[in-house]
Amino acid sequence: MSKNTFYITTPIYYPSAKLHIGNAYSTVLADTAARYKKLRGIDTFFLTGSDEHGQKIQRAAEAAGVTPKEYVDRIVEGEGGFKNLWDALMIDYDKFIRTTDDYHVKAVQKLFQIIYEKGDIYKASYSGHYCTSCETFFTDLQLVDGDHCPDCGKKTEILSEESYFFKMSNYQDALLDYIDKHPSFIMPESRRNEMINFIKGGLEDLCISRSTFNWGIPVPVNEDHVIYVWFDALSNYITALGWGSDDDSLYQKYWPANVHLVGKDIARFHAIIWPTILLAADIPLPEQIYGHGWVLSDGGKMSKSKGNVVDPFKLIDKYGVDAVRYYLLREIPMGQDGNYTEELFITRYNNDLANDYGNLVSRTISMIDKYCGGVIPAPEQTEYIDDGLMQMAVTAAAQVAVELDKLNFPAALTRIFTLIGRANKYIDETTPWILAKDDKYHARLMTVLYNLAEVVRISTILLKPFMPALAPRVSEQLGVDLTTATWADATTWAMIPAGTKVHKGEALFPRIDPASILLPEKEEPSVSFKDEISYDDFAKLDIRVATVKDCKPVAKADKLLEFTLDIAGVERTVVSGIRLFYKEPADLIGKKLVVLANLAPKKIRGIKSHGMILTAATDDDSVLEALQVASAEIPSGSVVC
Ligand code: MSP
C-alpha cells in the first residue's frame, strides 16, 4: 500500500496562543522534513494552518471588542501574525488551512453526518468538568485536586448540556489492534506505550458538540449546537486535501498522511480521537503520529506570566533565520524535551556554525583566493589521504537520509557535521599554507583546494533542508549555484568545473561575543499575584502540622492518595491528587506535612476528605512536593502562620 508521495502536517495553531520559539518548533521540524523530501524529488505536500473556533477564541474576541472572525483574521493574516512568522522562519508550506474556510466547514459537517448516519453519534445529556482553556471535559478520575485540569492546571467549570456523543468506546479494540499491527503508528516508542496504556484504561464516548456558545461549525442535524473544536480541527488533515468536496484529487493523491507531527501534549487527541473518527467514517488511518517533546526556556515551560517566552521575531532579527532553525533542529533531542537559553544558543552557534561550518567555508574560499587567484583549480595529484574525505563526502547523504527518514533531525545534523569536522581536520593535515611555499607542491595544493571546495558544496546541499537561507549565500561565494542542486548532487564527487570563480565574502556566521550579547534582550520576569487579602482573611485559615499515619492509593483513581493524618491527636482523612509524584505512598508515613485543617469537608470518589495538603509545584505541574516540617521539635498540631 506504499505510495510514492509524502504528506506531512503540523498541528494547526490556536490564534489565541502566543507564538514563541517553542510552538514554532513543530513547524520548523515539519518544514525541514518536507524540504528534504522535495530535495529528493519526492512529490510532497506540507500542510499547516490555524485552529480558529471554540469558546476560548470567542472569549478572547469579546475581550478585545471585535468579532471572532476579525480577531482571528488579525492574528493569522495581520502584521506580526502567524503567516508573517512562518515567512520569517522560511516555512515553505504547500497549503495554509484556516478552519473558518468555507470548504473546511462544509466537509466537517459532512464527516459528522456520515458518522451520525452510521449510528455512531447520539444525543444525550451531559454534565461534567470542563476546562475552557483546553476545550476538554475531564472525568473525576482525571482531575487534579478535585476540580483542576490535569493538563493546564486551571480550575475546571461544571458544564451541563445536551450534547452529541461519538461512540469512541466502540473503536477501542479496533484501535488497539491497529496499533499492535502497525508498530510505527505512534512514535516515539515511549509515546506509543503511554497511548496504549491510556486506551487500555477504557475509552469513554466523546462529547462532540457544544451549545453554550456559538463560535464553531454548526452541527448539521441541529443548528443549536456547534461541533466540538477538536473534531473540527483534526478533520483539517483531510479537508485541506479536498475530502468531501467536488474536487478531492489531492486527497486521492496524498492521503493517508505519512506523518502528523505534533507536540506531546496533543498526541492523545491525534493518536486516539482522530483514528477512531477515521475508523468510524471508513477512512484509512495516517501512517504515523509523531509526538515530539517540548522546548523549555531556562528549564521551564514557556509562559507569559514567567516572562520567559522567547520571541522568534526578535531572535531571527538578531541571529538570522538559519541560526534559529539550526538551534531548534540540533539542540532539542528528538522525541524528548530540550532546553533553550541564550547561553546555549550562543555556544551552539559559535561552535558549530561560526567555527566548524563557517570556518570551513571561509578558509576554503580564502585559500582559493590567495593561492589560485580566486579560481577553483583542477585536481591534479590525488593522494591516499584524499580517498577517506571523498568517500565520507559522497556517502554522507545516505547516512543523513537514514536519520531524516526517521525524523531524527539532531542525528542527521551530527552526520553532516562529522563531514565538516573531517574536512577541517584535512586542512590541518594537508597544510595548504606550507604547500603554497614551494612550487613543487603546486599540483598537490590544487588538489587539496579542489577537494575542500567539493566538501563545501556537498555539505551545503545537505544543509539546505535545515537552513534554507544558506545555499544562496554560499552559492555567491563558491561561484556554483547550489539553490537548484538536488540531493543526488550531494552523492556525486567532482561536480564543480575547474575554472569556477569564487568570491570572497563576509563570514556566514560571524562569531558572537557572549559577553556583549547576553541578557539585555531578556524580558523582566513577572509574576501575577492574586488579589490582595486582609490579615483577617488570612487569619481565617487554620494551617497545621499533621503527621501521616497512613497513606495509600485510592482504588481506580490514578492521581489520588488517601491520607490518614494525626493533628494533635485528632484523626483526619484527606484525599489529595498527588499520587503521580509519590510512587511509594508508604514512604510518607511518619512524615509531618502542612495541612489546611479548616477546609470544609468534601466527598472525593466516595471518601470524605477533610482538609487539604499543601504542596509546591512548578508552573506546568511537572514537579510537585508536599510541604514538610523537618524539625523533630515541632509536634503535630503546631500552627503554621
Ligand atoms: N490547535 C491545537 C492543535 C490542533 S491540531 C488538529 C493546538 N494548538 S497550539 O497552538 O496550542 O499548539 C500548537 C503546537 O505547538 C502543538 O504541537 C504544541 O505541542 C506545540 N507547542 C506549544 N508549546 C511548545 C513548546 N514550548 N515546545 C514545543 N512545542 C510546543 O494545540
Side-chain angles (χ1 to χ4, degrees), residues 109-384:
Q109 288 180 319
K110 183 163 177 177
L111 184 62
F112 191 104
Q113 186 88 36
I114 290 173
I115 303 176
Y116 180 77
E117 278 167 16
K118 194 176 175 189
D120 277 340
I121 289 178
Y122 61 93
K123 197 169 165 193
S125 171
Y126 186 78
S127 171
H129 295 270
Y130 186 70
C131 175
T132 319
S133 199
C134 302
E135 321 242 18
T136 311
F137 274 104
F138 292 99
T139 58
D140 284 351
L141 200 108
Q142 294 169 303
L143 292 170
V144 176
D145 280 341
D147 57 1
H148 283 74
C149 171
D151 286 345
C152 73
K154 293 193 186 131
K155 205 166 180 315
T156 54
E157 311 171 13
I158 296 279
L159 212 70
S160 240
E161 50 180 338
E162 277 265 277
S163 293
Y164 288 88
F165 283 81
F166 166 50
K167 285 189 191 164
M168 192 157 77
S169 55
N170 268 4
Y171 295 93
Q172 173 168 335
D173 294 341
L175 180 59
L176 277 174
D177 186 52
Y178 188 86
I179 296 172
D180 188 48
K181 293 205 172 95
H182 300 82
S184 56
F185 178 55
I186 304 169
M187 290 297 278
E189 185 112 358
S190 55
R191 216 76 70 211
R192 175 172 193 259
N193 296 335
E194 203 183 298
M195 295 302 140
I196 293 175
N197 287 339
F198 188 90
I199 303 166
K200 284 189 174 156
L203 291 187
E204 291 175 19
D205 288 351
L206 183 72
C207 177
I208 54 160
S209 77
R210 301 282 183 271
S211 55
T212 50
F213 61 93
N214 57 17
W215 180 238
I217 300 179
V219 165
V221 292
N222 185 341
E223 298 264 314
D224 294 337
H225 290 246
V226 292
I227 295 175
Y228 172 44
V229 70
W230 272 100
F231 186 98
D232 166 353
L234 289 161
S235 313
N236 94 89
Y237 299 129
I238 54 171
T239 64
L241 299 179
W243 178 91
S245 76
D246 293 342
D247 178 5
D248 70 351
S249 51
L250 288 176
Y251 171 78
Q252 296 301 342
K253 184 170 177 191
Y254 292 112
W255 190 260
N258 295 72
V259 53
H260 292 317
L261 195 64
V262 302
K264 63 178 185 181
D265 52 318
I266 56 170
R268 217 198 298 152
F269 295 91
H270 284 80
I272 299 173
I273 299 181
W274 181 225
T276 51
I277 291 174
L278 292 171
L279 284 170
D282 286 323
I283 296 173
L285 304 198
E287 271 174 29
Q288 186 171 93
I289 316 288
Y290 194 106
H292 66 68
W294 279 65
V295 182
L296 306 174
S297 177
D298 281 332
K301 192 168 169 177
M302 288 186 200
S303 75
K304 279 186 244 174
S305 63
K306 277 203 220 158
N308 64 355
V309 172
V310 183
D311 180 343
F313 285 111
K314 277 195 194 159
L315 212 59
I316 295 166
D317 265 1
K318 204 154 144 190
Y319 301 115
V321 56
D322 281 342
V324 174
R325 290 176 59 120
Y326 179 78
Y327 184 85
L328 292 173
L329 291 158
R330 175 66 188 83
E331 185 72 24
I332 316 299
M334 208 44 210
Q336 297 167 40
D337 292 349
N339 205 5
Y340 169 85
T341 67
E342 201 160 358
E343 285 94 330
L344 281 175
F345 184 95
I346 292 172
T347 306
R348 263 279 162 228
Y349 175 104
N350 280 343
N351 289 349
D352 300 4
L353 299 179
N355 274 4
D356 294 350
Y357 176 71
N359 269 347
L360 174 65
V361 177
S362 71
R363 285 165 97 190
T364 302
I365 307 277
S366 300
M367 290 191 291
I368 294 174
D369 199 55
K370 193 162 162 194
Y371 304 136
C372 317
V375 174
I376 299 179
E380 292 175 12
Q381 184 193 334
T382 301
E383 288 187 4
Y384 177 69

